[in-house]
């Protein structure tokens, strides 16, 4: 059996874009079992923008699971953004897991925003000034929460597991972005968490100039679904269930 996963990130919605994605989202039952939103759903993280996103996805005929992105934190009200989305029926994850019942089997989704830090051989270290240590510790805490969420799914009899983040776990999907900003686009610690526990797919956004396809060192498929990369309302990925 096959599980069909629709995914998109970086839709950056505001009042002037209301209704733009809804017609495409209403076709989801024809092609997907679930919709994953990979962060940066708003432009500045305001409640007004969050309500636009909420109206876009409310009462869709497939489950919607999301993580927030850095833009959704900009107004420093991520709890309000999360509450508005949850009121619209969206499952918003931050270091948590959820299970969706699909025709092809149970799909486990572990989600966290993630953070920067860089990749093997070109990464920040937990050394020096307190602010630098906190930068790296923020990434480590996020990766640890993703590890724990994926581990939780071990007990849920899932046919497939997806890791949902905003920041990238690999450098592959950043190809096209200036190398100088790679440390601000993701961290190898996220990939380590994914490979240690295992997943069938990793989905992220954030890198607007990046590349769709990548892979962790452990062989997990990674897909950058930032809308400027996929250039459509969503992409659909098929996972073989049990």
């Amino acid at each position: 059996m096959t599980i069909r996963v629709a995914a998109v990130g970086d839709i950056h919605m505001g009042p002037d874009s209301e209704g733009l994605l809804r017609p495409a989202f209403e076709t989801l039952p024809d092609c997907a079992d679930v919709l994953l939103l990979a962060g940066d759903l708003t432009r500045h993280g305001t409640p007004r923008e969050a309500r636009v996103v909420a109206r876009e996805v409310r009462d869709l005929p497939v489950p919607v699971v999301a993580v927030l992105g850095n833009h959704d934190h900009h107004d420093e009200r991520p709890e309000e953004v999360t509450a508005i989305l949850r009121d619209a029926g969206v499952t918003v994850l931050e270091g948590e897991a959820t299970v969706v019942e699909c025709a092809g089997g149970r799909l486990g989704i572990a989600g966290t925003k993630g953070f920067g830090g860089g990749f093997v051989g070109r990464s920040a270290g937990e050394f020096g000034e307190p602010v630098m240590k906190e930068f790296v510790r923020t990434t480590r805490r996020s990766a640890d929460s993703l590890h724990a969420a994926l581990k939780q799914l071990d007990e849920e009899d899932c046919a497939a597991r997806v890791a949902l983040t905003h920041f990238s776990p690999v450098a592959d999907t950043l190809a096209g972005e200036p190398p100088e900003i790679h440390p601000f686009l993701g961290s190898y610690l996220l990939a380590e968490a994914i490979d240690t526990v295992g997943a069938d797919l990793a989905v992220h956004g954030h890198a607007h100039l990046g590349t769709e396809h990548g892979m962790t060192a452990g062989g997990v498929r990674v897909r950058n679904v930032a809308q400027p990369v996929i250039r459509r309302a969503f992409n659909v990925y098929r996972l073989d269930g049990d």
Side-chain angles (χ1 to χ4, degrees):
M1 298 290 287
T2 299
I3 299 173
R4 306 166 301 169
V5 178
V8 66
D10 301 83
I11 55 178
H12 294 289
M13 300 207 78
D16 61 335
S17 59
E18 183 158 1
L20 187 64
L21 294 175
R22 183 74 189 197
F25 285 167
E26 288 180 346
T27 71
L28 281 165
D30 299 328
C31 59
D33 301 300
V34 61
L35 173 63
L36 305 185
L37 300 176
D40 276 8
L41 312 180
T42 65
R43 294 172 186 167
H44 303 99
T46 67
R48 182 184 182 193
E49 293 171 345
R51 283 189 284 271
V52 173
V53 179
R55 286 190 288 271
E56 213 76 359
V57 299
R58 185 183 296 275
D59 297 326
L60 285 180
V62 300
V64 182
V65 182
V67 295
L68 299 188
N70 55 304
H71 278 248
D72 306 316
H73 280 255
H74 180 70
D75 201 45
E76 300 184 7
R77 290 193 276 182
E79 294 84 4
E80 291 183 53
V81 171
T82 295
I84 290 166
L85 294 175
R86 285 178 174 163
D87 185 61
V90 181
T91 299
V92 183
L93 303 176
E94 181 48 57
E96 300 158 308
T98 191
V99 177
V100 175
E101 299 285 349
C102 304
R106 287 163 59 86
L107 175 66
I109 303 158
T112 187
K113 176 175 65 68
F115 201 53
F119 303 92
V120 176
R122 296 177 174 84
S123 60
E126 199 172 317
F127 182 86
E129 301 92 328
V131 68
M132 190 64 186
K133 292 176 185 175
E134 183 56 25
F135 180 89
V136 178
R137 286 170 184 165
T138 298
T139 301
R140 191 174 300 281
R141 285 192 295 266
S142 184
D144 287 347
S145 74
L146 180 62
H147 179 282
L150 284 167
K151 192 70 176 169
Q152 177 186 333
L153 294 173
D154 279 346
E155 319 218 341
E156 296 289 346
D157 190 28
C158 295
R161 290 184 296 184
V162 176
L164 174 62
T165 64
H166 180 60
F167 285 76
S168 177
V170 297
D172 296 5
T173 51
L174 305 183
E177 294 279 3
E180 294 84 357
I181 68 169
H182 283 195
F184 304 104
L185 298 178
S187 168
Y188 76 95
L189 294 175
L190 295 169
E192 281 193 350
I194 293 166
D195 283 342
T196 300
V197 185
D200 298 278
L201 177 69
V203 171
H204 75 88
H206 196 41
H208 292 197
L209 301 178
T211 302
E212 182 183 356
H213 296 264
M215 187 173 291
T216 69
V220 176
R221 288 184 294 161
V222 180
R223 297 294 180 260
N224 176 2
V225 297
Q227 195 172 53
V229 171
I230 64 174
R231 298 183 180 182
R232 62 191 69 187
F234 53 83
N235 265 3
V236 176
Y237 305 100
R238 289 167 173 78
L239 306 176
D240 292 328
D242 292 338

